[in-house]
C-alpha cells in the first residue's frame, strides 16, 4: 500500500469529520460523531488498520499525521460541545426571562367595608385592654333580649313599634345586650368581653336610621368594679378612636344598668352622643346566677354606623348599605 493513499484517506477523514461536526445541533448527535470517527471501531481506527501494510520507514510520518488528525477532530468535537452547551444555557435563560416592564394582570382587590373596618378598629382597642370577642344569635327569645335584662313586661321597648317579632314569638334582637346574658350563663367572672353584631328595629329608614344596624357591646364583671373603672375604660377607648377629645357623661336610664349614663364626645364643636353605659343592674347579675353582693360589673353599647359616619364624614346612613362601589372604593 502506498503511504500517500493513507495520507489522502486521513486528510479526507479530517475534512469529512470537521464538516459533520459543524452541522451538529445537539449533544447527542455530537456523541454519535465522536463514536463514528474516533471510537474503537470508528473511521480513524479503520484507516490506521492499514498501517501494518506500510513500509516501516513510512510509519512514523503517517503515524504523526494520524495523531494530528485525531487531535484536530477531538478539538473540533470539544469546541462544538462547548458551543452547544452555551447555546442551551442561552436558550434556557431566554425562555425563563421575566419581562418586568410587562403590564400586570389586573385583579380587582376587595377591601373591608367601612362598617367592618370600624368594628375591627374598635375591637382591636378592647382586645388591647384584655377583652375577648363574644358573639350571639341575631334571632332571640324575649327572655335574652328583654326579660333577663330587667325589662318589665310592659316596657315600651318591647312594643311592636320598636321590635321586629317573628311569627313563632321570637324576635330579631334589638341590641347586642342579649349576648351579655348568654355569655354570663356560660362563664364565671371575671369577665371582659366585646360583642360586635347586627341588630334590628322597626325604624323607618332615613338619613340617620336603618332597620338593620350594628352595635358594639362591652361587658366587664369582677369583684370590686366601680363606675370609675367604667369611666376610665371608656375614656381610653374614645381617645384611642378619636384622639384627644372632650368627653361628658349624662345621667340616663336603661333597665339593665344602675346607674346609667350616656356618653357624648365633643366633635367639631358640638356634643355628639356615642354610647349608653352603666353599672350592671343587680337584677341582671341575679338572672344569670351571680351573687351581686360579690360581683359588680359595667357595660356599654354603641352604634357602629354612628361612629363610622363620624369618622368618615358620611352624610347618610343608607350609603353604608347601598353596595355602590363608587362610594365604597373611597375607603
Ligand atoms: N342596649 C342599649 C341600646 O341598644 C345600649 C346600651 C346601653 C348597652 C347601656 C349597654 C349599656 O350595655 O350598659 O340602646
Amino acid at each position: 500500500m502506498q503511504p500517500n493513499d493513507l495520507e489522502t484517506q486521513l486528510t479526507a477523514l479530517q475534512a469529512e469529520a470537521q464538516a459533520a461536526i459543524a452541522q451538529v445541533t445537539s449533544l447527542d448527535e455530537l456523541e454519535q460523531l465522536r463514536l463514528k470517527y474516533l471510537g474503537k471501531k470508528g473511521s480513524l481506527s479503520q484507516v490506521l488498520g492499514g498501517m501494518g501494510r506500510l513500509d516501516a520507514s513510512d510509519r512514523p510520518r503517517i503515524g504523526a499525521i494520524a495523531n494530528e488528525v485525531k487531535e484536530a477532530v477531538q478539538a473540533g468535537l470539544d469546541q462544538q460541545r462547548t458551543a452547544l452547551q452555551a447555546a442551551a444555557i442561552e436558550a434556557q435563560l431566554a425562555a425563563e426571562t421575566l419581562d418586568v416592564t410587562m403590564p400586570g394582570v389586573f385583579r380587582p382587590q376587595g377591601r373591608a367595608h367601612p362598617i367592618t373596618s370600624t368594628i375591627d378598629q374598635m375591637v382591636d382597642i378592647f382586645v388591647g385592654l384584655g377583652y375577648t370577642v363574644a358573639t350571639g344569635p341575631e334571632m332571640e327569645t324575649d327572655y335574652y333580649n328583654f326579660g333577663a335584662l330587667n325589662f318589665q313586661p310592659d316596657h315600651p321597648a318591647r312594643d311592636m313599634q320598636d321590635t321586629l317579632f317573628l311569627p313563632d314569638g321570637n324576635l330579631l334582637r334589638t341590641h347586642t345586650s342579649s349576648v351579655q346574658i348568654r355569655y354570663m350563663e356560660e362563664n364565671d367572672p371575671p369577665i371582659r368581653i366585646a360583642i360586635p353584631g347586627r341588630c334590628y328595629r322597626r325604624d323607618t329608614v332615613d338619613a340617620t336610621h336603618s332597620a338593620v344596624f350594628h352595635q358594639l357591646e362591652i361587658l366587664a364583671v369582677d369583684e370590686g368594679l366601680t363606675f370609675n373603672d367604667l369611666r376610665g375604660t371608656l375614656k381610653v377607648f374614645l381617645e384611642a378612636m378619636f384622639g384627644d377629645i372632650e368627653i361628658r357623661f349624662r345621667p340616663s336610664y336603661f333597665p339593665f344598668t344602675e346607674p346609667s349614663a350616656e356618653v357624648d364626645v365633643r366633635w367639631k364643636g358640638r356634643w355628639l352622643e356615642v354610647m349608653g353605659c352603666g353599672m350592671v343592674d343587680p337584677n341582671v347579675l341575679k338572672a344569670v346566677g351571680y351573687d351581686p353582693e360579690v360581683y359588680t360589673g359595667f357595660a356599654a353599647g354603641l352604634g357602629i354606623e354612628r361612629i363610622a359616619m363620624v369618622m368618615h364624614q358620611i352624610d347618610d346612613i343608607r350609603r353604608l348599605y347601598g353596595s355602590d362601589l363608587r362610594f365604597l372604593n373611597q375607603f
Side-chain angles (χ1 to χ4, degrees):
M1 175 178 252
Q2 288 301 307
N4 283 348
D5 288 353
L6 267 187
E7 197 176 338
T8 313
Q9 283 182 39
L10 284 169
T11 318
L13 186 151
Q14 178 174 349
E16 181 197 320
Q18 275 172 337
I21 289 168
Q23 300 290 316
V24 149
T25 54
S26 80
L27 290 167
D28 272 352
E29 289 173 60
L30 194 65
E31 175 63 8
Q32 294 306 317
L33 286 188
R34 188 185 69 77
L35 293 172
K36 179 173 172 194
Y37 293 108
L38 303 184
K40 271 206 181 86
K41 293 174 185 156
S43 314
L44 189 62
S45 297
Q46 277 168 25
V47 174
L48 293 180
M51 288 264 282
R53 280 170 282 155
L54 284 179
D55 286 348
S57 59
D58 286 325
R59 285 184 200 160
R61 195 175 58 84
I62 297 301
I65 294 175
N67 255 338
E68 277 166 26
V69 169
K70 184 180 173 191
E71 275 166 22
V73 172
Q74 185 62 56
L77 287 167
D78 291 347
Q79 195 187 343
Q80 183 70 336
R81 177 176 299 109
T82 308
L84 286 174
Q85 284 170 339
I89 290 171
E90 284 302 320
Q92 189 180 358
L93 283 177
E96 291 178 0
T97 296
L98 271 186
D99 180 359
V100 293
T101 64
M102 195 167 83
V105 180
F106 177 71
R107 280 198 201 87
Q109 213 190 358
R111 65 189 84 187
H113 189 279
I115 291 179
T116 309
S117 61
T118 305
I119 292 174
D120 289 347
Q121 202 180 337
M122 297 196 291
V123 164
D124 277 355
I125 296 168
F126 282 108
V127 166
L129 294 173
Y131 286 65
T132 53
V133 174
T135 53
E138 292 173 21
M139 184 181 83
E140 267 300 2
T141 63
D142 186 277
Y143 178 75
Y144 286 112
N145 198 82
F146 296 124
L149 287 164
N150 200 36
F151 282 79
Q152 298 310 306
D154 56 351
H155 193 282
R158 296 186 193 219
D159 198 295
M160 291 294 284
Q161 293 301 316
D162 290 317
T163 305
L164 288 157
F165 285 95
L166 299 167
D168 63 2
N170 288 325
L171 50 86
L172 295 178
R173 70 179 177 196
T174 59
H175 51 190
T176 43
S177 305
S178 52
V179 186
Q180 289 189 25
I181 305 299
R182 289 186 175 274
Y183 190 88
M184 286 192 285
E185 280 184 348
E186 299 293 327
N187 297 275
D188 291 325
I191 284 172
R192 304 274 190 281
I193 49 170
I195 310 159
R198 196 174 292 136
C199 305
Y200 303 82
R201 285 191 202 172
R202 269 178 67 117
D203 272 332
T204 305
V205 176
D206 63 20
T208 54
H209 292 86
S210 168
V212 183
F213 59 100
H214 297 75
Q215 288 190 338
L216 180 77
E217 186 94 10
I218 64 150
L219 172 69
V221 181
D222 207 338
E223 290 183 49
L225 288 182
T226 66
F227 198 89
N228 226 13
D229 298 310
L230 168 60
R231 216 188 125 78
T233 302
L234 295 184
K235 192 166 149 55
V236 166
F237 165 71
L238 289 169
E239 284 177 358
M241 274 315 269
F242 294 100
D244 190 12
I245 40 142
E246 264 186 274
I247 299 167
R248 86 178 173 192
F249 282 67
R250 273 182 296 108
S252 185
Y253 171 79
F254 300 101
F256 39 92
T257 45
E258 180 59 36
S260 305
E262 266 158 340
V263 184
D264 301 338
V265 297
R266 201 158 169 81
W267 182 258
K268 297 194 194 302
R270 65 190 180 95
W271 289 106
L272 184 80
E273 183 195 321
V274 288
M275 68 173 105
C277 65
M279 301 305 291
V280 179
D281 193 289
N283 285 341
V284 173
L285 297 175
K286 273 187 224 155
V288 297
Y290 291 179
D291 183 349
E293 297 299 326
V294 177
Y295 296 110
T296 52
F298 60 77
L302 52 95
I304 287 165
E305 282 81 353
R306 186 36 143 353
I307 304 272
M309 287 171 76
V310 169
M311 306 257 299
H312 299 297
Q313 304 184 10
I314 298 168
D315 58 347
D316 190 320
I317 197 171
R318 287 167 290 197
R319 294 194 193 281
L320 290 170
Y321 308 106
S323 300
D324 184 340
L325 289 178
R326 291 168 305 176
F327 169 73
L328 292 174
N329 278 336
Q330 300 176 81
F331 301 97

